[in-house]
Amino acid sequence: MKIAVLGGGCVGLTTALHLTQELRNTDRIDVVAASFDESITSYVAAGIFRISSAFSAPTDQLTKKWIDDSYNFYESISRSAEASNAGVTNISGYLFSNSSPSEQTEWMKDLVPLYRKATDRELKLVGGNWKYGTFMTTLLTQPNQYLPWARHKLREKGVNFMNRSVESFQELTGTYDIIVNCTGLGSRQLCNDRKLVPIKGHVIKVKAPWLKTFFYGGVETYIIPGTDGTTTLGGNREFESWDKSICPYQIAAIRDRCEKLVPSLKKAEVVKEKTGLRPHREGGVRVEVERIQTGSGRAMIIHNYGHGGYGICAAPGTSKYAVELTKNAHRSTAKL
């Protein structure tokens, strides 16, 4: 059995990791992507494990399973000797709001080790007159450490990496028995999926090694310290924008909001300004099986895309499910 995983971001690499663990008798696994460098969206993310009600599977039960499986995956790494290399660690912080006590974090409160209401004193720790606040401990996965670590682990297991663009699944049928599609926004063209749209986001990476606590001010302003001394400042959401250029007005607005929230950031040196296109899919993430027949042969497609802004968070859960579908579909085919 030969398998191609399309996509070099967090979803693609994590799916490949699950495949190597669950399908050990596979003849060949190739990870195929147009790019593996820092131009991909996964590198823009801050990597904090915080999932709101905007993330969804076809059912609430499956949504919970994906979220729980994802958290358990990262938590297992955080407790292992691989934690520092993989860039996975614990982090605590505050979520402040004027509209909702929990700011849409109902999936989190029964999952993380610490989740409580902020005190009146804590509501005044930052700038702004906040009505509600939550303090919680969660996990942080640093993308610029996790992705290279995942590639290294995959190479150790004999996985091949191919740097190429794929315009059609037909290019791969005849060569691969199973194609796992983790192309994110690329699936809009590859699958002709009009439910998939970009949501552009801006972030600023600054040097702020004194910050160890994350802060959210509503849903648009966040300050998330990384494991490498840099802090991610965000963000914004531009629905259906394909423009990857930096907007100086958005950058200025993000910096202004973050500095009002945490004034010490005024002395933080800017390392880099970045944009990314989140692959948002109406109706939720697509993880399902599709069989295709072409002139060059037949293949089974396992789709795993449409995570929106939750690619780092939810990749392990959807990937585990995608591999379960792969195993079940392969067994069914083998019996025919």
Side-chain angles (χ1 to χ4, degrees):
M1 184 169 59
K2 298 179 178 65
I3 301 176
V5 178
L6 305 188
C10 188
V11 176
L13 297 185
T14 307
T15 301
L17 284 172
H18 280 298
L19 285 167
T20 61
Q21 294 165 0
E22 299 295 327
L23 296 174
R24 296 175 184 173
N25 294 324
T26 303
D27 296 323
R28 174 179 168 188
I29 298 177
D30 294 340
V31 178
V32 183
S35 176
F36 293 98
D37 61 25
E38 294 196 11
S39 64
I40 60 179
T41 300
S42 290
Y43 278 101
V44 181
I48 192 169
F49 197 97
R50 174 187 177 270
I51 296 185
S52 77
S53 57
F55 175 80
S56 67
T59 66
D60 284 350
Q61 183 180 9
L62 191 54
T63 301
K64 186 177 187 306
K65 173 178 169 55
W66 287 354
I67 293 171
D68 289 354
D69 286 346
S70 294
Y71 188 87
N72 292 336
F73 175 87
Y74 288 127
E75 185 180 42
S76 177
I77 294 176
S78 75
R79 295 175 181 273
S80 74
E82 299 281 354
S84 59
N85 290 331
V88 182
T89 187
N90 291 298
I91 188 170
S92 297
Y94 295 91
L95 301 96
F96 298 109
S97 171
N98 284 321
S99 60
S100 168
S102 62
E103 197 63 73
Q104 296 185 326
T105 54
E106 58 266 26
W107 292 116
M108 301 292 297
K109 59 185 178 183
D110 296 324
L111 182 63
V112 297
L114 180 60
Y115 186 98
R116 63 166 174 80
K117 180 181 177 181
T119 65
D120 290 341
R121 180 177 174 275
E122 288 173 320
L123 290 174
K124 299 175 183 178
L125 285 174
V126 296
N129 297 313
W130 302 103
K131 295 180 181 178
Y132 311 107
T134 298
F135 178 82
M136 73 175 183
T137 297
T138 185
L139 293 166
L140 180 77
T141 302
Q142 187 87 24
N144 61 2
Q145 290 181 258
Y146 175 76
L147 271 67
W149 172 82
R151 288 195 296 268
H152 175 72
K153 300 298 286 185
L154 290 168
R155 289 191 181 98
E156 286 185 332
K157 295 178 180 293
V159 173
N160 308 296
F161 288 83
M162 301 175 63
N163 201 175
R164 60 169 284 192
S165 297
V166 176
E167 304 297 329
S168 168
F169 293 126
Q170 295 181 14
E171 299 173 29
L172 305 176
T173 56
T175 303
Y176 297 99
D177 306 294
I178 296 173
I179 301 166
V180 188
N181 173 31
C182 307
T183 56
L185 203 53
S187 292
R188 180 176 171 88
Q189 178 178 346
L190 193 60
C191 303
N192 194 31
D193 190 342
R194 301 304 171 190
K195 294 181 179 179
L196 196 64
V197 296
I199 300 181
K200 180 181 178 180
H202 286 77
V203 298
I204 311 170
K205 305 285 185 176
V206 301
K207 288 184 180 179
W210 60 89
L211 284 181
K212 306 298 180 184
T213 304
F214 71 82
F215 298 96
Y216 276 80
V219 295
E220 294 293 344
T221 303
Y222 54 82
I223 299 163
I224 304 172
T227 59
D228 58 357
T230 64
T231 293
T232 302
L233 311 182
N236 73 308
R237 294 173 174 83
E238 298 174 42
F239 195 75
E240 289 193 286
S241 173
W242 291 89
D243 181 12
K244 292 184 179 181
S245 64
I246 300 288
C247 173
Y249 302 105
Q250 291 287 0
I251 291 294
I254 290 169
R255 184 103 200 212
D256 180 63
R257 293 198 308 271
C258 290
E259 289 177 358
K260 286 179 179 177
L261 190 66
V262 178
S264 68
L265 285 168
K266 292 178 181 179
K267 62 182 181 181
E269 177 188 346
V270 175
V271 177
K272 191 173 290 186
E273 298 166 350
K274 291 187 174 185
T275 63
L277 304 182
R278 308 173 181 97
H280 171 76
R281 188 172 185 271
E282 181 185 349
V285 186
R286 185 187 184 191
V287 188
E288 61 185 28
V289 179
E290 178 184 4
R291 287 180 171 85
I292 63 170
Q293 177 74 49
T294 68
S296 57
R298 64 180 182 178
M300 184 164 59
I301 314 295
I302 311 294
H303 297 290
N304 185 14
Y305 68 85
H307 295 66
Y310 301 99
I312 302 292
C313 291
T318 64
S319 298
K320 182 179 179 180
Y321 186 71
V323 173
E324 289 172 3
L325 293 181
T326 304
K327 291 167 66 177
N328 293 335
H330 181 63
R331 288 193 194 102
S332 299
T333 302
K335 291 176 181 179
L336 297 178

